[in-house]
Amino acid sequence: MPLEALDTLPDGPEKDYLWTLNFGPQHPATHTTLRLILTLDGETVVKAVPDIGFLHSGFEKLGEDLDFNQYVTIVDRMNYISPIANEIAWHHVVEKLMGIDLTPRCKYIRTILAELARISDHLLCTGAQALDLGAFTAFLYGFQQREVIYDIYETISGQRFHPSYTRVGGLLYDVTEEFVRKVRSFVQEFPATHADMCRLLNRNRIFVERTQGIGVLSKELAINLSCTGPIARASGVVRDLRKDEPYLAYGELQNTFKVICATDGDSYTRYLVRMEEMLESLKIIAAAIENLPAGAVNVDVDSKVVFPAQTSVYRTIESMIQHFELVMPNRQWTPPLDEVYGAIESPNGELGFYIVSDGTGVAYRARTRPPSYIHFATFPYLIEGHQLSDVVAVLGSLNIIAAELDR
Amino acid sequence: MALAIPDFMLAKLDPLANWVRANSLWPMPFATACCGIELMATGASKHDIARFGAEVMRFSPRQCDLMIVAGRVVMKMLPVLQRIWMQMPEPKWCISMGACASSGGVFDTYAVVQGVDRFIPVDMYVPGCPPRPEQLIQSILDLQDKIRASGTLQGTEFEQRIEHQGPLPNADVPADVVTAPGDYKKSRRVSLN
Amino acid sequence: MPARNVDRTKRIIMPFDTIITALKGRFADLATSEFRDNRRVVVAPAQLFDVLKSLQEEHGFDLLFEMTAADYLKYPNAVDRFGVVYGLLNTVTGERVFVKTVLNEPDLTLPSAFSLWKGADWLEREIYDMYGILFDGHPDLRRILMPEAFAGHPLRKDYPLRGRGERHNFPVITRANS
């Protein structure tokens, strides 16, 4: 945030007239932990200075200490609204580093999970945005469907919140018939909830009045401030990694979905883009679950990157040796000595990892490109000149996830 | 319909106060991370914490008597946590929800406080990363039991716990000694320059 | 909300080599490398700002999508201590390029990219906070994630994972004084 904003004001009584309000770090509308120091002229925000770091837990330092499979439990906790998107991003980059090509079945399962994550993220984001503006019911509807998605996670991994489901070169377990059944029923039932939420909010007078025209982000500013994801798309930046740099099964499912874009760039548009994206995600899920390929879920055991099946570890010496090689901290994987950046389109925007590898199974440097961090930097530009009550409307539309913000 | 209400009743004030306090806990959700979302799930329709009389989440500490620390607390946040705890009126209780709040959990790093019980009093610990909503509800029920069993009108049950129960830093190590990481007994903040 | 139909297959991608040739014509001793789909340009800190400016203004890399640093203290066969990486994206063609530079103590100063991309603001503050690399020309270079009073830079390799005990150094509140 440039500090010139205050300096342009004349000294003297005009400046004394301004007052300062501390917003957070423990405030219902911040959802988690962030702080804003607002300079106000009456109720108009003259300047906002964000103060973050209230949840800085040393994720990136931990990434230099845990191996590629262990660290997935940590990246989970980096995004507590759609954890599985982070897992997929992390292992996408690790596999890019090692040059592993996944099996078709694994690609499809990961695609389904990534889209479920997108839906659950947008449900919480839009629900909480409405909650902050006083509409409690939409939040309850959204959470009802989130519980269904939690249930699907629990079916595949045993953990409802942080599945830690992906592994280098594959997945923890293969999915079962029950998973397919639950996803199918979700695909059938979700549009009703979505329609309910739309009916509650889209033309809700209070909601529209409080979000339309608030926090406008122009296309030029969005690009200059490095915005990606729904926030950039709501401002007219036509960019979606699922189309532009297809990964997983998105290349094959290219024709099943559209990229949702808009041009207004205000809080209401960001809400609309998220709502529409959920329906597009649902189309991807519907197409992927019906075309789920058969076959193995992990890459070939001979590639020495995945664990052999448990029964063969007990019965054959080769598998036992390979298992041993992968679990011993001084052996493990042998990625090339280089650095790589890879990214996926997470619900919030481009979620990337920059891995510097020193040839061991532990990343030498595991940098996250956090969309929340970059999007929150836009906040001072968005709120300038708006009312104090609009702070909540803008914050809600940015979908700031504090753990990703501070890491 | 006439009820047979006697003209006066005799009861000890302690159980009466406990009964009132236990059934109207007002939580102060100190939600920082993942557990905060599970706390929201507990409040949402499927699990519905309102069935147990603890749904009145108030974000102002002055109105609350139960602090739920949900999520990891880091160096920058701990002074805030302590301040909010001090602002809550007596009698007050604290639930440490999840592994991170209870012990630091998987985050054994430079920034994360290894358990909030080192710096504020804690009554209930909920294991899990994050705990399921059922676990949180159970901990609230357990806390209600505890209040009913041990509470007094004057709050004298708190007087027995005036000593800090968590680990204490050792006072006689010189300030400039750098000790092994994780050794909280001897560690001190040191200046690098 | 109608989705805009853009035919993404008909993009004109400027070959990376032409950009490199153009850059090499202007700046001497420019190294390039490639790994998977990441294409990197390695420049000296003195030339960094001009290379970034040229990439933004002449080659259309208008989005700074990533900016990070790494401490190569314990890296096998590393010569330089710190590396700083800028990731640039052309939002029209979807092309990416990474600009890398290396730094050594005691001169840990780089020109700030804030005048080119406002998005560099927080990214530079984070690198300063985590590695102690200074950015000349940044409007407000303060710590962003760690407390102001914190000493040291946590992501440097000589800083231990579990810290130096800062996390235990707080007053204790007991039942008696609360």
Side-chain angles (χ1 to χ4, degrees), chain A residues 56-58, chain B residues 73-76 109-113, chain C residues 146 161-162 167:
Chain A
H56 174 71
S57 330
Chain B
V73 176
V74 304
M75 278 162 56
K76 212 170 171 178
T109 62
Y110 55 90
V112 181
V113 170
Chain C
M146 303 306 293
L161 171 68
R162 291 180 180 82
R167 58 184 179 174

Side-chain angles (χ1 to χ4, degrees), chain A residues 1-4 49-53 56 60-62 64-65 96-99 221-228 236-241 243-245 258-263 269 272-273 276 336-341 343 350 354 356-358 364-365 367-369 373-374 376-377 381 405-407, chain C residues 1-6 8 11 34-38 40 56 62-77 85 89-91 93-96 98 100 114 116-126 130-131 139-140 142 144-146 153-162:
Chain A
M1 167 70 196
L3 291 174
E4 303 93 67
V49 180
D51 181 13
I52 63 169
H56 174 71
E60 290 175 9
K61 194 84 178 173
L62 265 177
E64 299 168 6
D65 190 56
K96 188 173 176 181
L97 172 73
M98 293 198 231
L221 197 57
I223 291 175
N224 206 276
L225 285 167
S226 313
C227 292
T228 50
V237 183
V238 187
R239 188 155 173 77
D240 189 323
L241 291 185
K243 291 264 191 196
D244 294 338
E245 298 168 13
K258 290 176 187 156
V259 178
I260 306 295
C261 289
T263 47
T269 315
L272 285 180
V273 166
E276 284 302 310
L337 239 94
D338 215 321
E339 350 195 312
V340 71
Y341 172 84
E350 179 176 331
Y354 190 90
V356 179
S357 156
D358 58 352
Y364 183 80
R365 167 92 170 98
R367 147 83 179 169
T368 319
R369 185 227 185 256
Y373 184 79
I374 285 159
F376 193 43
Y381 299 92
L405 175 73
D406 299 336
R407 280 153 294 131
Chain C
M1 188 63 45
R4 191 191 291 179
N5 279 318
V6 177
R8 279 148 187 279
R11 276 187 165 165
E34 202 167 335
F35 181 69
R36 308 289 179 224
D37 63 353
N38 291 4
R40 285 184 291 250
Q56 189 201 32
D62 49 0
L63 196 147
L64 176 79
F65 68 89
E66 168 70 310
M67 182 172 171
T68 185
D71 179 0
Y72 293 101
L73 183 66
K74 294 173 183 168
Y75 198 74
N77 307 325
V85 180
L89 171 80
N90 186 333
T91 48
T93 61
E95 203 172 38
R96 293 172 192 262
F98 290 84
K100 192 177 173 184
F114 180 74
L116 301 175
W117 293 279
K118 285 179 185 160
D121 182 357
W122 281 24
L123 295 167
E124 283 175 356
R125 276 177 73 185
E126 189 190 356
M130 292 294 145
Y131 288 97
D140 183 24
R142 288 178 290 127
I144 187 161
L145 295 177
M146 303 306 293
H153 299 287
L155 278 183
R156 286 191 179 185
K157 285 285 174 180
D158 50 9
Y159 188 86
L161 171 68
R162 291 180 180 82

Side-chain angles (χ1 to χ4, degrees), chain C residues 74-86:
Chain C
K74 294 173 183 168
Y75 198 74
N77 307 325
V79 192
D80 302 293
R81 174 79 195 266
F82 294 104
V84 180
V85 180
Y86 295 73

